[in-house]
Amino acid sequence: FAVVYHMPLTQLAITIEYNEVTVAPGPFYLYAERYLGATEVVQEQQTRYEVTAIQMTPHTTVDPNRSFNVLPGLDQQLLTLTSEGLLYGYNVPTPQTAPVETICTNLATTTKNELMPLMEEQLVASSIAKMAEGAAKQIYHIRETRMNILAGDVEHIPADGMSMQLVLDELNKREKALAELFIGTQTIQHHSHTIYYTPANDVNNIVIGRISRFAGIVANEDLSGEPIRLTIKGKRQELLPIEIEDTKKKVQTASQLYYNLPGSADITLEFAGKIITTANYPIAQYGVAVPLAKNMFLTKQLPKIYFNIQTGNILSIQK
């Protein structure tokens, strides 16, 4: 008939945001310099990975090694727990769960066309060189048309500014598609990878992950990747001698309510030899469990107690 709750466990969530960039050559890359004067041309397909951000945040879960029973001696109906089993409050309303918001990041990507944007005359050309020449002529024609529109040297000028912008946007889109046949294409895919690390002891410059420019996230032992290193210097809470004696009297304290006095840690995160962030976080598992005084629950007007579900300590006591 006991109600079981858990103390929180603090983890470090290291989130790596990176882009997978794939470049591929166009079918006319050999003729790019001849017809377009372009020297920076993709000549073979390659994939590289570029780190855009690394962030560290505390993440709370339940501590399976620190669970507590509340016996009927304390009014169990007044206990409020989270869905995970963390102690939220005593004699307070059930916490409202906020809706989960999904955030999507849209990146501007350029993908290779399945069909070449050529006219019939170029598609039926007898050789790749002829097709490239025809595609280059289309690009020249688009550029000339755009220049004439901007100069007002056309028979039918767009009626207003919005119409002109639509026409210019379409010409730019067409030129870009044709130019990619010469200079190549680029595709960008955004990725997010999170590493969870549970602090237990002090560590100095340990490798918790690696990122390779040519393979993305790799194993910690793969030296082709740049290391993500973590340093933790913790400060643990300690019980006073009288509190140690109280915790030994399990029968006496079985119906008491325990809260957590968290410790803390100075944490440094490095990537590729550079410090990404330094922070001081409260660490729940570096703390100690302390019982609330029994006489708090013997009065006619019971207190309202709110607990911090991230650290397990008391947020407020209200009469």
Side-chain angles (χ1 to χ4, degrees):
F1 297 99
V3 173
V4 179
Y5 67 91
H6 299 272
M7 288 300 180
L9 180 75
T10 303
Q11 295 180 322
L12 302 177
I14 295 93
T15 302
I16 308 158
E17 305 282 344
Y18 62 99
N19 292 335
E20 179 183 353
V21 182
T22 302
V23 294
F28 305 148
Y29 75 93
L30 292 175
Y31 306 94
E33 186 173 5
R34 179 192 300 180
Y35 292 120
L36 300 183
T39 55
E40 296 184 4
V41 178
V42 179
Q43 298 186 14
E44 61 180 6
Q45 184 165 328
Q46 294 180 344
T47 299
R48 67 180 185 273
Y49 297 84
E50 300 174 348
V51 176
T52 57
I54 299 178
Q55 297 179 335
M56 178 177 63
T57 56
H59 173 77
T60 303
T61 184
V62 298
D63 191 338
N65 298 318
R66 293 204 297 167
S67 58
F68 293 82
N69 297 333
V70 179
L71 299 179
L74 188 66
D75 195 342
Q76 298 172 341
Q77 294 181 351
L78 295 180
L79 287 177
T80 304
L81 307 182
T82 67
S83 58
E84 295 85 7
L86 298 173
L87 187 60
Y88 174 80
Y90 176 82
N91 194 26
V92 299
T94 303
Q96 298 295 322
T97 303
V100 177
E101 296 183 3
T102 302
I103 301 175
C104 298
T105 304
N106 294 322
L107 295 180
T109 61
T110 303
T111 57
K112 189 174 181 179
N113 295 304
E114 294 295 334
L115 298 176
M116 290 192 294
L118 301 177
M119 307 299 289
E120 180 182 3
E121 180 182 351
Q122 289 81 43
L123 289 174
V124 298
S126 57
S127 65
I128 291 293
K130 285 291 185 182
M131 293 176 67
E133 183 181 358
K137 288 181 178 179
Q138 286 190 58
I139 293 176
Y140 303 150
H141 179 68
I142 290 172
R143 292 175 178 176
E144 184 179 356
T145 301
R146 182 171 56 231
M147 185 62 68
N148 290 336
I149 291 175
L150 292 173
D153 190 16
V154 291
E155 185 176 351
H156 299 288
I157 299 177
D160 51 39
M162 183 176 294
S163 300
M164 177 177 288
Q165 188 61 51
L166 289 174
V167 172
L168 292 175
D169 289 344
E170 187 60 33
L171 289 173
N172 292 337
K173 180 180 177 181
R174 179 76 177 175
E175 180 184 357
K176 183 174 181 292
L178 288 166
E180 287 176 348
L181 299 177
F182 293 88
I183 63 176
T185 59
Q186 176 176 278
T187 303
I188 302 175
Q189 289 184 313
H190 184 69
H191 298 277
S192 179
H193 180 80
T194 302
I195 300 170
Y196 293 95
Y197 182 86
T198 303
N201 300 300
D202 287 3
V203 294
N204 185 31
N205 226 24
I206 64 167
V207 176
I208 60 170
R210 288 182 182 271
I211 309 172
S212 168
R213 179 174 174 81
F214 303 104
I217 303 295
V218 296
N220 292 357
E221 299 78 18
D222 190 340
L223 300 182
S224 68
E226 292 286 355
I228 300 174
R229 297 183 180 274
L230 190 66
T231 298
I232 299 177
K233 295 181 180 180
K235 181 182 291 185
R236 297 177 180 270
Q237 288 281 7
E238 295 183 0
L239 286 172
L240 298 175
I242 187 173
E243 294 171 330
I244 295 176
E245 289 298 321
D246 288 341
T247 57
K248 291 180 180 179
K249 302 174 183 177
K250 294 183 179 179
V251 177
Q252 178 182 343
T253 61
S255 61
Q256 285 186 289
L257 201 59
Y258 285 78
Y259 66 97
N260 190 51
L261 284 178
S264 63
D266 294 321
I267 303 169
T268 302
L269 187 69
E270 298 182 19
F271 173 62
K274 297 181 180 179
I275 295 178
I276 299 298
T277 183
T278 57
N280 180 274
Y281 289 144
I283 306 296
Q285 59 269 29
Y286 285 6
V288 293
V290 180
L292 284 166
K294 278 189 174 182
N295 57 15
M296 294 180 58
F297 308 98
L298 300 178
T299 59
K300 291 183 178 180
Q301 186 176 0
L302 294 175
K304 294 182 178 181
I305 307 174
Y306 288 89
F307 298 93
N308 187 327
I309 60 175
Q310 277 78 38
T311 60
N313 61 330
I314 297 174
L315 283 178
S316 66
I317 301 177
Q318 305 170 9
K319 290 292 186 178

